[in-house]
């Protein structure tokens, strides 16, 4: 079983998840930033592609990768500031999956919270006044505080379980 893990990560959250995923895949499975993705992705038994959520979809670097990800056996994983069980999280995964050229359903997907860059939060506070749709409300502040400890050990364990489950599914598909 030859897999590859590709990820995009601005502040390290998604990289941690990528490393956890890779740790349960066959020894020697590459774990690379998307900028180092090999040109031919069709030869792998499964491509694990990880992104950070940027305005409800994959970040720009991952968008480029997903647009050329022609391997029908793909598992997506992601981190985001919002709650992982929210509609926003589900929509973000769906939007990212829709960027692929192939219509096959994902083999599996995983999403968890990741701390939001404090510099971004400060910028948002300065840029968006009270009442603006992107203003930092008390609810948003609470969400940022909740996200601040993620990904945590439980997230890493869940990411490993996701990878193990994906391997099982691949055996039944093959
Ligand atoms: C420009 C920007 C846009 C973001 N947009 C969203 C978003 O739409 N929804 C969300 O829940 N989190 C959003 N986030 C938070 C990140 O997805 C989250 O912090 C993620 O874990 C960062 O991953 P990384 O450390 O791998 O870069 C955004 C962060 C940035 C910097």
């Amino acid at each position: 079983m030859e897999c590859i893990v590709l990820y995009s990560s601005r502040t390290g959250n998604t990289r941690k998840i990528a490393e956890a995923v890779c740790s349960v895949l066959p020894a020697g499975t590459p774990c690379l930033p998307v900028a180092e993705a090999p040109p031919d992705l069709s030869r792998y038994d499964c491509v694990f592609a990880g992104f950070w959520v940027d305005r409800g979809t994959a970040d720009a670097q991952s968008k480029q990768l997903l647009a050329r990800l022609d391997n029908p056996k793909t598992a997506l994983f992601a981190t985001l500031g919002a709650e992982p069980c929210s509609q926003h999280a589900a929509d973000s995964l769906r939007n990212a999956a829709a960027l692929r050229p192939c219509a096959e359903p994902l083999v599996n997907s995983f999403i968890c919270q990741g701390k939001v860059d404090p510099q971004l939060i400060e910028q948002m506070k300065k840029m968006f006044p009270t009442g603006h749709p992107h203003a930092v409300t008390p609810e948003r502040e609470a969400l940022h505080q909740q996200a601040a400890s993620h990904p945590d050990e439980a997230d890493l364990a869940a990411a490993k379980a996701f990878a193990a489950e994906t391997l099982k599914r691949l055996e039944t598909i093959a």
Side-chain angles (χ1 to χ4, degrees):
M1 172 87 55
E2 198 179 349
C3 301
I4 187 168
V5 181
L6 301 169
Y7 66 89
S8 175
S9 186
R10 193 174 150 268
T11 59
N13 300 331
T14 317
R15 180 176 48 74
K16 283 185 192 160
I17 298 299
E19 287 167 356
V21 164
C22 199
S23 74
V24 295
L25 297 180
T29 298
C31 183
L32 300 171
V34 291
E36 294 171 28
D40 179 14
L41 296 171
S42 63
R43 69 184 186 87
Y44 294 96
D45 296 310
C46 185
V47 177
F48 289 79
F51 62 92
W52 56 274
V53 171
D54 182 352
R55 287 158 289 172
T57 185
D59 65 89
Q61 278 196 339
S62 288
K63 270 185 177 165
Q64 284 186 10
L65 177 87
L66 291 166
R68 71 172 182 91
L69 186 41
D70 53 359
N71 192 320
K73 291 189 186 148
T74 294
L76 281 190
F77 61 95
T79 68
L80 84 171
E83 301 248 25
C85 54
S86 61
Q87 188 60 45
H88 179 61
D91 289 346
S92 300
L93 274 174
R94 204 195 50 235
N95 292 340
L99 297 167
R100 297 173 306 146
C102 45
E104 280 81 358
L106 295 171
V107 179
N108 205 354
S109 64
F110 172 79
I111 194 160
C112 73
Q113 244 178 339
K115 61 186 154 307
V116 181
D117 183 355
Q119 281 185 354
L120 176 76
I121 299 172
E122 284 313 308
Q123 275 174 18
M124 284 171 74
K125 280 182 184 164
K126 284 185 192 141
M127 278 169 65
F128 304 122
T130 308
H132 188 280
H134 297 307
V136 181
T137 57
E139 292 77 22
R140 227 170 232 152
E141 197 105 65
L143 197 61
H144 291 154
Q145 270 172 24
Q146 187 192 322
S149 58
H150 292 271
D152 60 15
E153 287 305 317
D155 296 321
L156 298 181
K160 289 180 191 180
F162 149 75
E165 167 64 21
T166 307
L167 287 180
K168 266 197 215 157
R169 289 188 190 181
L170 288 166
E171 277 164 20
T172 58
I173 297 168

